Amino acid sequence: MPVLPVFSPRNQSTPPPPAPPLKPGRDEGEGAVVVERQTQKTEPPRLYQVLLLNDDFTPMEFVVMVLQEFFRHDLDTATQIMLKIHHEGRGVCGVFTKDVAATKVELVSAASRRAGHPLQCIMEAA
């Protein structure tokens, strides 16, 4: 059976001794430098919109698939965006930070090349 330590007043830590009193006539801040804390103003990261551009060769079904797979749109929303791209020449797929937007552009462009479609994906400041 293990032996437990016995509690005694000697086992307690003692508080540190008090600081010596200041000498009379001496200024507390003599020789001290006071630095004022400046508040830092941080701005949220800039946002970029990822756009698909219309062409006459990429099938509409492929555009809908890209919108669902890479931008997580449901079928109805993806179809609406695809029709906007078809009729207006371009459509916003999503708004992201710069790194995420650049990654999405590269993923969509690579998938388009693999499938043999000329679909163009770009990003621009929102």
Side-chain angles (χ1 to χ4, degrees):
M1 189 159 131
V3 177
L4 297 175
V6 177
F7 177 76
S8 73
R10 283 183 274 164
N11 291 347
Q12 293 180 338
S13 63
T14 59
L22 293 175
K23 294 180 182 176
R26 184 170 171 169
D27 185 18
E28 288 183 30
E30 186 177 323
V33 177
V34 177
V35 178
E36 292 183 22
R37 181 175 286 187
Q38 296 178 349
T39 58
Q40 293 181 348
K41 295 180 181 177
T42 58
E43 296 179 8
R46 288 190 57 186
L47 296 178
Y48 292 80
Q49 51 188 357
V50 177
L51 302 137
L52 287 178
L53 304 179
N54 187 39
D55 62 66
D56 294 333
F57 304 102
T58 304
M60 293 179 175
E61 293 81 15
F62 181 77
V63 175
V64 170
M65 185 274 303
V66 164
L67 290 165
Q68 287 180 305
E69 185 174 328
F70 295 105
F71 299 98
R72 302 291 183 221
H73 291 294
D74 59 40
L75 181 60
D76 292 336
T77 306
T79 303
Q80 289 174 352
I81 295 171
M82 178 272 301
L83 289 172
K84 180 177 174 107
I85 295 166
H86 182 69
H87 293 296
E88 297 178 17
R90 59 194 271 164
V92 177
C93 305
V95 179
F96 308 97
T97 58
K98 186 176 184 176
D99 292 341
V100 174
T103 301
K104 298 267 186 191
V105 168
E106 184 55 39
L107 289 171
V108 170
S109 297
S112 179
R113 283 191 302 269
R114 277 193 309 273
H117 300 302
L119 182 64
Q120 295 293 310
C121 186
I122 62 169
M123 65 184 248
E124 62 184 32

